[in-house]
Amino acid sequence: MTALSVLIVDDNEVDRELLRRDLKKTELDAMIFEVSDGEQALKFFEDCNACDDGYQEGDHPILLFLDINMPVLDGFGFLEKFTELRTQYPIDTCVVIMFTSSEAEADRERALSHEFVADYLVKGEFAVSELREKVLSLV
Amino acid sequence: MDGFMIAAPETDNEEERLAKLLSYHILDTIPEQQFDDIAELAAHICGSKISLISLVDKHRQWFKAKVGLDAEQTPRDVAFCAHAIHEPELFYIPDATKDQRFFDNPLVTGQPNVLFYAGAPLCTPDGYRVGTLCVIDDHPRELSSEQKESLMRLSRQVSNNLELRLHIREIEESGLLLEAKNEELQQFAYRTSHDLRSPITSSKRLADYLIEDLEASNYGEALRGAQKVKGLMANLEELVGDIVSLVQADVSMNDVEPIDLTELLNDARQRLEFLAVESECEIRVENACLSNVPIERGRISQIVDNLISNGIKYRDVNKADSYVDVKVSNSASTLKIAVEDNGIGIRSEFLEDMFKMFKRDNSEVSGSGLGLAIVKKHVEHMQGSIEYSSSKQGTRFNISLPTDRMGDPV
């Protein structure tokens, strides 16, 4: 099995670091990339697509951890653009897990209304074992 | 009769009287039952054709209630009521054709033919007469002493209603103010609990990994982790400091005492020098010798600190010589503080929110989002004012503070 490709989209450096450590601790074989806002995340996907002549599944991240409150392009803004992007690139296997400190029910509902958003994690409110199970069930 | 009608002069306390009338917010409002009822009662008791509640404005009398008359208002110079408000007692004209002041008044010679007039003044508790409750007929006549007495009693009811209206308005206003304060407090509680808890939780989790790294002799990772904890703690320290400042700004700080502003400004510059050097930004202080300015030291210090550090944080890295200019002067009982930078400026859509708590123009610039909220609170407590202007060339804040709140400068 090839390594699981994961992209963390969060402007908070410490939160990215902690999630990276948590993922490492799950002992899943994962390649982890990090960007700090929605705009950079979109670019990441576009770059994946442009990097060689033939597009191959597995080149792009399979799993996205997406923060909500970010500068430039926030989590919800990204979800809108990502919906469009999915019609252009064969990336429909990519799923998103929200990764945010917002506990607002409205945010949760809004995020989960996108069919490719698989889960909603509140920062610091989950155990590593839980994270492992969630990731395994999705990929 | 010789001569012409005599218009009533202004009252002695005209300006204050008008201010009081305006404070009722009643001019040009729609009819209201409680006033209509009183006018009806007055006409009924006195057996008169016309009854009015007349409020005497700067150039007109305006009728809050009217029985037997269509007009909304008349010019003040022909108004009987403008005469009536000069007296605390009933103003009584049994036959206007025989009165020097009214005989050729157009309201007497033409419609509505005011030949009889009796007006009871509307006295406010603080002694202003803002109008009258009056009864009018188109023929000369008399009122019985009971009718006169009743008219005076009814006029007091009108005054009470006016005063009640004022109190209701005040209560509504303070209710709105309380609501806004409550909203602010809730927002404050929510944000502080989140912003305080989140770095603590993160630090604790970083510390867990730090211990694991040390146990596994991963010193490089451990060092990175420790540096992150340090960064979080530094931000937390700033946030806690700002929260304390904000809360303190609402209670009285130091006493107003003559302070040496030159020294205060130098202290501020020294405190922020490390930030300025790190950011390659120059703090330039310009002030005349300001050794005995009577003002609250703590508040001035926090205003200056916050404005300078904002200037440094929001510098423009594309400009060669970043600076923050601080100019302070004291004259005519006003202390002026101007802080100007050549930074990136404030986004125009942010200007509306910039004094609100936890609002930040750029989340990539570190800070608690409380700096300008603190500045605003201090300025408000000192009864001063803030002006600002901002563009891509930079930002300028001008703060004016009265220094004579505690008597003359020492």
Side-chain angles (χ1 to χ4, degrees):
Chain A
M1 184 184 159
T2 52
L4 179 66
S5 173
V6 176
L7 179 64
I8 302 174
V9 190
D10 195 331
D11 60 320
N12 187 320
E13 193 199 346
V14 172
D15 289 345
R16 290 202 306 265
E17 166 81 6
L18 284 168
L19 182 59
R20 199 173 58 75
R21 294 294 299 251
D22 288 345
L23 285 167
K24 208 169 147 194
K25 215 173 178 185
T26 62
E27 293 178 332
L28 295 164
D29 184 13
M31 288 214 310
I32 300 167
F33 303 94
E34 298 177 17
V35 292
S36 59
D37 63 60
E39 202 65 54
Q40 289 179 31
L42 288 173
K43 191 167 180 302
F44 192 91
F45 275 92
E46 278 159 13
D47 289 349
C48 281
N49 192 41
C51 66
D52 53 52
D53 40 356
Y55 190 85
Q56 287 179 356
E57 182 130 3
D59 284 0
H60 65 81
I62 288 293
L63 186 57
L64 246 81
F65 285 92
L66 179 66
D67 186 20
I68 292 179
N69 290 314
M70 289 182 288
V72 192
L73 182 64
D74 70 3
F76 290 125
F78 172 81
L79 288 176
E80 298 308 318
K81 297 235 162 129
F82 194 56
T83 308
E84 252 171 67
L85 201 72
R86 289 166 77 90
T87 64
Q88 294 166 27
Y89 299 145
I91 50 175
D92 46 344
T93 53
C94 177
V95 290
V96 174
I97 294 180
M98 301 308 290
F99 177 63
T100 172
S101 51
S102 165
E103 296 178 55
E105 197 49 42
D107 283 350
R108 178 186 293 270
E109 272 175 33
R110 187 173 168 196
L112 290 172
S113 71
H114 294 82
E115 41 109 11
F116 54 86
V117 176
D119 218 320
Y120 190 98
L121 288 182
V122 177
K123 287 175 182 175
E125 307 267 309
F126 56 88
V128 169
S129 57
E130 204 182 328
L131 182 66
R132 182 185 161 85
E133 273 167 40
K134 279 186 196 297
V135 174
L136 278 177
S137 73
L138 291 173
V139 295
Chain B
M1 206 168 291
D2 291 336
F4 298 102
M5 60 161 268
I6 300 162
E10 285 190 350
T11 57
D12 296 337
N13 51 14
E14 186 64 11
E15 207 168 306
E16 296 86 354
R17 194 192 68 81
L18 282 173
K20 179 70 187 185
L21 174 60
L22 289 179
S23 78
Y24 287 129
H25 290 92
I26 195 165
L27 291 173
D28 301 305
T29 54
I30 56 172
E32 288 170 73
Q33 182 88 53
Q34 70 266 34
F35 294 110
D36 290 346
D37 284 350
I38 295 174
E40 286 284 356
L41 269 176
H44 183 74
I45 290 169
C46 299
S48 67
K49 198 176 141 197
I50 294 173
S51 169
L52 304 166
I53 291 175
S54 163
L55 299 167
V56 181
D57 196 2
K58 193 172 173 66
H59 298 299
R60 60 170 178 165
Q61 62 171 340
W62 178 81
F63 307 132
K64 177 60 190 172
K66 51 192 201 288
V67 174
L69 189 77
D70 287 332
E72 299 281 341
Q73 57 189 22
T74 77
R76 179 167 174 172
D77 53 10
V78 295
F80 281 60
C81 297
H83 289 272
I85 59 169
H86 280 271
E87 292 176 27
E89 300 305 322
L90 189 71
F91 187 71
Y92 190 65
I93 310 290
D95 186 349
T97 59
K98 298 201 171 85
D99 192 301
Q100 175 71 46
R101 293 166 293 184
F102 302 112
F103 74 100
D104 62 347
N105 184 308
L107 298 179
V108 176
T109 55
Q111 287 292 330
N113 299 109
V114 182
L115 294 195
F116 164 80
Y117 174 96
L122 305 175
C123 302
T124 69
D126 34 4
Y128 300 108
R129 291 186 285 273
V130 293
T132 69
L133 169 66
C134 62
V135 289
I136 290 167
D137 256 319
D138 56 4
H139 54 274
R141 56 169 288 197
E142 298 284 347
L143 289 183
S144 70
S145 58
E146 287 83 6
Q147 286 172 319
K148 288 178 183 169
E149 182 59 28
S150 298
L151 203 55
M152 288 299 282
R153 285 182 193 279
L154 286 174
S155 79
R156 288 195 285 276
Q157 286 306 308
V158 177
S159 303
N160 287 344
N161 266 310
L162 289 175
E163 204 57 25
L164 201 60
R165 185 188 180 85
L166 190 64
H167 289 316
I168 290 170
R169 197 185 164 83
E170 280 167 1
I171 289 167
E172 279 171 353
E173 273 171 5
S174 60
L176 284 177
L177 197 68
L178 263 180
E179 234 169 74
K181 282 269 168 205
N182 213 6
E183 180 77 17
E184 191 182 272
L185 197 63
Q186 271 179 5
Q187 171 78 356
F188 183 69
Y190 171 77
R191 284 303 304 257
T192 45
S193 68
H194 172 268
D195 290 10
L196 288 174
R197 198 185 313 156
S198 136
I200 293 170
T201 312
S202 298
S203 296
K204 195 165 138 255
R205 299 189 59 221
L206 281 171
D208 283 339
Y209 281 124
L210 213 161
I211 291 166
E212 280 181 25
D213 289 337
L214 288 173
E215 280 170 351
S217 303
N218 286 333
Y219 297 118
E221 278 284 285
L223 184 63
R224 288 199 319 126
Q227 276 160 347
K228 288 205 161 76
V229 172
K230 189 186 166 194
L232 284 174
M233 288 301 112
N235 289 343
L236 190 58
E237 188 182 28
E238 186 186 345
L239 174 63
V240 171
D242 282 353
I243 289 171
V244 170
S245 301
L246 194 65
V247 173
Q248 276 181 346
D250 266 335
V251 296
S252 76
M253 308 259 304
N254 322 92
D255 293 332
V256 174
E257 54 179 358
I259 61 166
D260 184 342
L261 268 178
T262 312
E263 188 190 313
L264 183 147
L265 291 169
N266 278 331
D267 287 351
R269 192 221 299 257
Q270 266 172 27
R271 266 196 302 280
L272 293 162
E273 196 60 34
F274 78 97
L275 186 63
V277 169
E278 193 180 87
S279 314
E280 293 176 3
C281 181
E282 193 188 350
I283 304 173
R284 305 194 300 220
V285 177
E286 192 181 299
N287 64 289
C289 186
L290 298 165
S291 52
N292 275 314
V293 183
I295 204 123
E296 288 149 290
R297 174 189 297 274
R299 294 191 193 278
I300 299 298
S301 195
Q302 287 187 10
I303 289 171
V304 170
D305 276 14
N306 275 300
L307 290 178
I308 296 177
S309 68
N310 271 355
I312 298 171
K313 284 179 183 173
Y314 290 92
R315 72 193 175 281
D316 188 341
V317 291
N318 297 317
K319 288 174 194 154
D321 304 301
S322 288
Y323 64 81
V324 179
D325 267 346
V326 186
K327 288 184 184 145
V328 178
S329 65
N330 184 34
S331 62
S333 305
T334 305
L335 178 67
K336 288 188 192 270
I337 303 173
V339 179
E340 183 172 359
D341 62 55
N342 64 341
I344 54 175
I346 301 164
R347 286 178 307 133
S348 58
E349 58 266 41
F350 183 69
L351 290 171
E352 191 184 328
D353 281 339
M354 72 178 171
F355 290 110
K356 293 184 183 158
M357 292 187 299
F358 298 110
K359 297 286 183 187
R360 297 171 55 201
D361 195 15
N362 185 341
S363 59
E364 283 171 38
V365 176
S366 77
S368 65
L370 296 175
L372 285 179
I374 293 171
V375 170
K376 180 167 172 259
K377 270 223 158 86
H378 285 312
V379 172
E380 279 173 359
H381 274 273
M382 292 190 283
Q383 288 144 40
S385 64
I386 308 179
E387 283 169 27
Y388 55 85
S389 64
S390 188
S391 71
K392 286 202 166 66
Q393 275 68 56
T395 302
R396 194 187 64 230
F397 282 92
N398 285 324
I399 292 182
S400 302
L401 302 164
T403 54
D404 54 355
R405 287 185 303 146
M406 298 288 284
D408 295 322
V410 183

